[in-house]
């Protein structure tokens, strides 16, 4: 693990596990859908491999956790942190800023059904509907999404800026949804929501963002991440316990 990777604050993105609507390709914004058995297993498996003292997602190194208030995201947090929930008490906040895109009139519909509906309403005569550009009737526009995500990004930077060289562990975790986390990723690196950057984010998956050169003004995608060795893990556990006792 490089010195920068070990010290620079990180932002972990975790997408909730599979739901029946997600499995069927239905737009799921404000509707309260629970994880299905596959989704629960996805999150539990990730927790066993990735979460715990000395592991990639170390609860003791988390300063804040921002969670979508939708039931499927809450369930995901509970499963993800189940063996370590006592370590995150007082650190997590449910916020609409990281809730899924509000699909409005398109809630519960598949993409082809949305396009048929829009054509019936006289839209999209010159090109196909694209949520990144056109937003959702009765729901949110890309400008509204940008506003709330930028607000959250500013909050995260305020938390992490004083500790860019590892003076204190201040990792942040977001637990949310596929589309909004892809939007967040674009805004993190300064791209507009409708930028055509292709991003995939599977249910129950984790992604990592950070900063180049330990600089809060250089947010970056961490597309390659060295996992901690056993020696690194033991050292980080010792450092975290020391910080906790200060």
């Amino acid at each position: 693990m490089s010195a920068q990777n070990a010290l620079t604050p990180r932002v972990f993105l975790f997408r909730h596990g599979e739901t029946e609507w997600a499995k069927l390709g239905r737009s799921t914004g404000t509707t309260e859908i629970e994880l299905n058995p596959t989704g629960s297993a996805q999150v539990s498996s990730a927790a066993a491999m990735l979460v715990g003292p000395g592991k990639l997602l170390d609860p003791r190194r988390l300063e804040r956790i921002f969670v979508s208030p939708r039931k499927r995201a809450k369930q995901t947090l509970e499963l993800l942190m189940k063996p370590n929930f006592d370590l995150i008490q007082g650190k997590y906040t449910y916020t609409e800023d990281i809730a899924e895109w509000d699909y409005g009139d398109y809630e519960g519909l598949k993409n082809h059904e949305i396009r048929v509906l829009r054509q019936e309403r006289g839209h999209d005569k010159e090109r196909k509907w694209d949520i990144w550009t056109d937003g959702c009737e009765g729901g949110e526009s890309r400008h509204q999404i940008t506003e709330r995500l930028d607000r959250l990004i500013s909050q995260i930077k305020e938390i992490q800026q004083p500790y860019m060289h590892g003076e204190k562990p201040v990792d942040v975790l977001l637990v949310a949804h596929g589309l909004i986390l892809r939007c967040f990723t674009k805004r993190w690196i300064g791209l507009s929501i409708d930028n055509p950057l292709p991003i995939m984010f599977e249910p129950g998956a984790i992604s990592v963002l950070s900063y180049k050169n330990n600089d809060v003004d250089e947010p970056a995608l961490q597309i390659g991440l060295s996992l901690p060795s056993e020696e690194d893990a033991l050292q980080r556990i010792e450092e975290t316990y020391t910080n906790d006792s200060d």
Side-chain angles (χ1 to χ4, degrees):
M1 174 175 285
S2 71
Q4 177 171 333
N5 286 347
L7 296 176
T8 310
R10 295 169 296 180
V11 179
F12 293 94
L13 313 182
F14 197 91
R15 181 182 176 184
H16 67 73
E18 183 183 88
T19 68
E20 286 305 306
W21 274 25
K23 180 179 178 181
L24 296 172
R26 297 192 177 280
S27 301
T28 317
T30 58
T31 302
E32 292 291 15
I33 303 291
E34 296 187 355
L35 302 183
N36 62 19
T38 296
S40 296
Q42 289 168 337
V43 179
S44 296
S45 176
M49 290 187 289
L50 302 176
V51 183
K55 294 185 178 181
L56 175 65
L57 185 55
D58 189 334
R60 293 185 178 275
R61 299 185 66 84
L62 290 173
E63 179 70 13
R64 290 290 299 278
I65 303 172
F66 296 100
V67 189
S68 164
R70 303 288 86 81
K71 182 181 295 185
R72 55 199 183 274
K74 291 182 178 180
Q75 289 177 320
T76 295
L77 176 67
E78 292 170 1
L79 290 171
L80 189 65
M81 293 294 171
K82 187 174 181 179
N84 305 279
F85 219 88
D86 59 320
L87 301 179
I88 64 166
Q89 293 303 313
K91 295 183 178 182
Y92 60 92
T93 301
Y94 300 115
T95 173
E96 291 286 344
D97 282 349
I98 199 62
E100 184 59 296
W101 198 312
D102 184 346
Y103 291 99
D105 296 353
Y106 310 152
E107 185 77 4
L109 300 181
K110 299 179 181 179
N111 278 355
H112 74 273
E113 294 172 333
I114 295 172
R115 292 193 171 97
V116 169
L117 175 63
R118 287 179 61 88
Q119 289 174 356
E120 291 174 349
R121 294 178 175 181
H123 303 314
D124 309 329
K125 295 181 178 179
E126 296 182 359
R127 61 173 177 81
K128 291 183 178 180
W129 169 76
D130 174 53
I131 190 172
W132 305 97
T133 301
D134 304 317
C136 302
E137 292 179 286
E140 288 182 293
S141 68
R142 62 184 172 91
H143 302 292
Q144 290 172 307
I145 295 294
T146 298
E147 182 179 358
R148 61 181 171 97
L149 290 181
D150 285 358
R151 181 168 57 237
L152 181 57
I153 288 171
S154 294
Q155 189 175 352
I156 292 171
K157 287 184 175 181
E158 286 179 7
I159 292 169
Q160 296 182 328
Q161 185 171 15
Y163 310 103
M164 296 303 292
H165 293 273
E167 298 86 347
K168 173 185 174 181
V170 287
D171 288 343
V172 169
L173 169 65
L174 306 184
V175 181
H177 315 269
L179 184 58
I180 201 67
L181 289 175
R182 284 179 282 161
C183 292
F184 183 93
T185 300
K186 291 182 181 183
R187 292 307 300 148
W188 182 258
I189 57 176
L191 300 180
S192 62
I193 295 298
D194 59 339
N195 185 283
L197 177 70
I199 305 175
M200 299 174 64
F201 208 146
E202 297 180 356
I206 193 168
S207 179
V208 187
L209 307 175
S210 190
Y211 307 87
K212 288 177 61 179
N213 304 315
N214 302 89
D215 188 341
V216 74
D217 294 321
E218 295 189 56
L221 306 177
Q222 194 154 11
I223 61 172
L225 184 68
S226 299
L227 297 177
S229 65
E230 183 176 355
E231 180 180 351
D232 288 334
L234 291 173
Q235 181 179 352
R236 291 175 67 175
I237 293 173
E238 181 179 351
E239 290 172 351
T240 304
Y241 272 105
T242 301
N243 290 331
D244 286 347
S245 62
D246 289 344

